[in-house]
Amino acid sequence: MKKNLEKLKFPLKGKYVAMVAPSFVVDFSYPSIILQLRELGFDKVVELTFGAKMVNREYHKFLENSKELAISSVCPGIVDIVKNRYPQFKENLIPVDSPMIAMAKICRKTYPGYKTVFLSPCNFKKSEASDSKIVDYAIDYKELKELFAKYNINPKKEKIYFDKFYNDYTKIYPLAGGLSKTAHLKGVLKKNEVKIIDGIGEVAKFLEKPDKSIKFLDVNFCVGGCIGGPCINSKDSLKKRKKRVLSYLRLSNEEDIPNTRLGLVERAKDINFNIKKF
């Protein structure tokens, strides 16, 4: 994936939008990262949380009508393993975009002519970005840290906000179970019909001997969810990483952001977030 990064020349010249997953708080400071990315040449900096909200809406609709086991497909590591090791469950993958792809579609509509660059906590997301026709580039957190060091871009205390899109509650998406906890599934599924599993070893155990009472499997390849991604710099425990995400959620709930608050569904009007098949 280094080849992907080498195609970018910093500081960037032209129209580029950085798409930041909320797992960034494990490695970088908010809102400093926005200013740091602007120094690298990004004209727009958005968070994936609004894309996650759109994905949740599609999951809600899908699960309302689902009669068989449905497996979350937001984690490309899970999609890859299911397709290659457990193909008998391929049809059970929910045919909806990941938040990264959904947000890239929204950005292309909102910022026509801009190149999309995803900041990634893992190699699977980088592969998904590389294979897509919608995300132009991907930079992982280790590479981003190196870029900030190379260009001597340090955190700053100036107050600044992400561009355009806001949705607070989906900031917990990078945590194990973040999807099912934010998709408003009450009344759609019973509590004992949803199973959250993080870590491919435990996911494999379930797929090898599935519980037929489970209707929705909310799964992540990495233990802890995206905060346990292999491209994360932090050596902190998963407990401390989770605490940083939850602190960020609390902060965002308290922020008085001028002119906008929640991501408006209207901004995603006419965008199709459904996948024909995996």
Side-chain angles (χ1 to χ4, degrees), residues 171-205:
K171 291 186 190 297
I172 66 168
Y173 233 74
L175 305 181
L179 190 166
S180 54
K181 290 173 184 175
T182 58
H184 304 300
L185 298 179
K186 187 176 180 180
V188 175
L189 294 171
K190 297 175 182 177
K191 192 173 182 179
N192 61 1
E193 292 178 325
V194 178
K195 189 169 184 63
I196 298 166
I197 310 178
D198 57 316
I200 190 55
E202 294 302 312
V203 174
K205 286 180 184 178

Side-chain angles (χ1 to χ4, degrees), residues 139-259:
I139 302 172
D140 67 47
Y141 291 173
K142 291 182 178 178
E143 292 170 335
L144 184 60
K145 184 179 178 181
E146 290 172 1
L147 284 170
F148 287 159
K150 179 179 179 179
Y151 293 98
N152 196 30
I153 299 175
N154 300 308
K156 297 173 177 60
K157 292 185 178 181
E158 181 181 339
K159 191 63 178 174
I160 192 170
Y161 304 101
F162 284 109
D163 287 296
K164 288 281 184 184
F165 310 100
Y166 285 87
N167 204 73
D168 293 337
Y169 65 90
T170 51
K171 291 186 190 297
I172 66 168
Y173 233 74
L175 305 181
L179 190 166
S180 54
K181 290 173 184 175
T182 58
H184 304 300
L185 298 179
K186 187 176 180 180
V188 175
L189 294 171
K190 297 175 182 177
K191 192 173 182 179
N192 61 1
E193 292 178 325
V194 178
K195 189 169 184 63
I196 298 166
I197 310 178
D198 57 316
I200 190 55
E202 294 302 312
V203 174
K205 286 180 184 178
F206 180 91
L207 294 178
E208 286 163 9
K209 194 176 180 181
D211 180 344
K212 293 184 179 180
S213 69
I214 301 301
K215 301 299 183 185
F216 176 45
L217 197 59
D218 181 2
V219 282
N220 290 96
F221 187 94
C222 295
V223 175
C226 294
I227 62 171
C231 295
I232 282 177
N233 298 283
S234 176
K235 303 301 180 186
D236 288 342
S237 66
L238 287 174
K239 184 177 180 180
K240 287 184 178 179
R241 297 181 195 185
K242 181 177 180 179
K243 187 176 180 181
R244 293 192 72 173
V245 173
L246 295 177
S247 294
Y248 176 47
L249 173 64
R250 286 193 294 272
L251 172 64
S252 68
N253 285 329
E254 296 167 0
E255 280 189 306
D256 184 18
I257 301 173
N259 302 322

Side-chain angles (χ1 to χ4, degrees), residues 27-50:
D27 275 344
F28 305 99
S29 300
Y30 172 81
S32 295
I33 190 173
I34 303 172
L35 289 165
Q36 290 175 283
L37 288 169
R38 289 193 183 282
E39 283 194 49
L40 278 180
F42 287 99
D43 186 46
K44 303 292 182 184
V45 183
V46 303
E47 197 174 18
L48 254 66
T49 49
F50 182 67

Side-chain angles (χ1 to χ4, degrees), residues 105-132:
K105 288 180 177 180
I106 294 165
C107 285
R108 285 189 177 265
K109 177 183 177 182
T110 308
Y111 306 121
Y114 276 72
K115 295 287 187 181
T116 54
V117 183
F118 177 64
L119 305 184
S120 176
C122 83
N123 289 319
F124 278 116
K125 294 300 292 184
K126 291 184 73 177
S127 295
E128 181 190 14
S130 181
D131 292 341
S132 78

